[in-house]
Amino acid sequence: MQPPTTPQSCSAASRRVTAAMVAARAGVSAATVSLVTSGKTAGRVSAGNIARVDAAVAELGYVVNGLGSSLAKGRSSIVFLIAPDVSNPFYAKVISGVREALGTDFQLLLSVTEAGQTPEPADVRRLLALRPAGLLVDAPSARFLTELRTSDPLVLLDAAGIESDAPSVNFDVARGAKLLAGHLAAQGHKKVGYLDSATGTETFRVRRAAFYHEADRLGVAVVAAGTTTVDVGAAAFAFTKLWPDWSVGGVTAVVCATDTHAYGVLQEARVAGVRVPETLAVTGFDDLPYSETSNPGLTTVHLPAVELGSLAGAQLLKLIAGEKITELHMTLEATLVVRGSTVVDSEA
């Protein structure tokens, strides 16, 4: 005896609702169903037929075959954002800007891996089988772009130091790093430590090189350095190991590659009884929401993340539409925000 048929034992094909089934239920043609589900009814489908198709779609649970549509058009309505870490509030702001720019015509999908690590090019190439309308790549490395090799519409974000023919929207991270060096020099610091990101992306290389150069010019020596992933716990652990030697070496300030690193340093400094900023000044980079209310408030470089995402999304839309990009590489200003982690009793 055959076992009774259950929803779980039914084949995928038997459960799939087709446009023909919707058309039969609504009493219209399959072409009419296609026009209604694609939103192309103006002057072509009556209000009554639209209502009947909508009712049949809702009743049967019909979903448009997006992949089939992609094959027919040569591309889908998907836009991929490839980013190192969406758990970081900074990327949440970037995503918000991108979504605002793309509107409702495109679906934004994310490709991410571990915190602070960009997905491998081979992983992204597998996603290209979905025929995305375009790609947005945030904080790429030169290696990633070389190995990706795609002809799809592509816009880079936060790609300072990258040489590419692809349009890009960047931050002036070099200026931000120089502002940090100038601020610490003005506060009288002579020996500083640098806690860098281990991701190896160009944006971190650029800000590090700019800080080192400006610090040297101003008579501030970077006497110690460390690296870790972009993670509060990892940064706290790194500081625990580094601080004894840094302290003996006369380090009075630590420059962190991101605010996330700085949060870890502030956390562990409290545990170790290191007074901030009296014994150790701490700076970050990004100006995340928590930086204003941390204890003490974090001196950091403000980067307009929402604007970055919005402008990058707008550039990608132009590429998708076949329009000419008039400004291939756009740069957004970085500004210094001074708070209590470097100045005693400074106002937030």
Side-chain angles (χ1 to χ4, degrees):
M1 179 182 294
Q2 293 295 326
T5 301
T6 66
Q8 288 76 20
S9 63
C10 291
S11 69
S14 66
R15 296 197 305 269
R16 186 178 300 119
V17 178
T18 66
M21 293 164 66
V22 174
R25 182 62 59 90
V28 299
S29 68
T32 297
V33 172
S34 177
L35 289 173
V36 173
T37 55
S38 63
K40 300 177 181 179
T41 59
R44 306 170 76 177
V45 183
S46 69
N49 280 346
I50 293 174
R52 281 189 285 274
V53 170
D54 286 341
V57 166
E59 180 183 349
L60 298 175
Y62 175 65
V63 177
V64 176
N65 185 345
L67 182 57
S69 177
S70 300
L71 293 172
K73 296 186 297 184
R75 66 172 177 84
S76 69
S77 60
I78 295 171
V79 167
F80 280 114
L81 171 60
I82 301 158
D85 179 16
V86 294
S87 66
N88 188 327
F90 180 81
Y91 290 109
K93 287 187 172 185
V94 174
I95 291 168
S96 175
V98 171
R99 288 179 60 86
E100 178 184 344
L102 295 182
T104 59
D105 291 336
F106 294 91
Q107 290 77 50
L108 181 64
L109 299 184
L110 306 178
S111 176
V112 296
T113 53
E114 297 297 326
Q117 301 293 331
T118 300
E120 285 298 310
D123 297 327
V124 176
R125 282 199 296 273
R126 282 193 286 270
L127 297 177
L128 298 183
L130 295 176
R131 302 194 178 184
L135 302 174
L136 297 165
V137 182
D138 200 322
S141 66
R143 178 190 69 85
F144 176 87
L145 293 177
T146 299
E147 295 181 10
L148 182 60
R149 298 188 304 274
T150 178
S151 59
D152 291 292
L154 169 68
V155 175
L156 309 180
L157 298 79
D158 194 12
I162 293 284
E163 292 186 7
S164 174
D165 293 332
S168 64
V169 183
N170 304 307
F171 298 122
D172 192 351
V173 292
R175 178 179 185 273
K178 291 177 181 178
L179 290 173
L180 278 177
H183 172 66
L184 292 177
Q187 295 297 311
H189 296 281
K190 297 298 182 182
K191 295 181 178 181
V192 304
Y194 197 97
L195 187 56
D196 204 0
S197 167
T199 60
T201 55
E202 288 300 306
T203 182
F204 292 117
R205 182 193 64 78
V206 170
R207 61 187 74 179
R208 179 180 66 249
F211 180 84
Y212 274 51
H213 183 272
E214 185 70 0
D216 181 66
R217 189 184 73 82
L218 296 172
V220 178
V222 182
V223 299
T227 60
T228 183
T229 55
V230 185
D231 177 79
V232 174
F237 180 73
F239 179 73
T240 299
K241 296 180 64 177
L242 294 167
W243 175 242
D245 289 338
W246 286 12
S247 178
V248 171
V251 169
T252 60
V254 56
V255 177
C256 299
T258 71
D259 284 8
T260 301
H261 287 91
Y263 298 158
V265 172
L266 290 176
Q267 172 185 300
E268 200 55 37
R270 282 193 295 273
V271 173
V274 179
R275 298 175 64 202
V276 177
E278 292 85 356
T279 302
L280 180 70
V282 180
T283 71
F285 220 106
D286 288 341
D287 194 22
L288 300 181
Y290 181 64
S291 298
E292 184 176 5
T293 57
S294 62
N295 185 23
L298 181 64
T299 292
T300 183
V301 174
H302 175 75
L303 303 177
V306 174
E307 187 177 0
L308 178 86
S310 180
L311 289 175
Q315 292 285 73
L316 185 63
L317 288 179
K318 290 180 180 179
L319 288 180
I320 293 171
E323 298 178 17
K324 182 179 180 181
I325 302 295
T326 56
E327 189 174 358
L328 193 62
H329 303 298
M330 307 174 71
T331 302
L332 301 177
E333 183 180 14
T335 55
L336 181 66
V337 182
V338 177
R339 299 191 179 105
S341 68
T342 59
V343 180
V344 178
D345 295 329
S346 72
E347 296 183 0

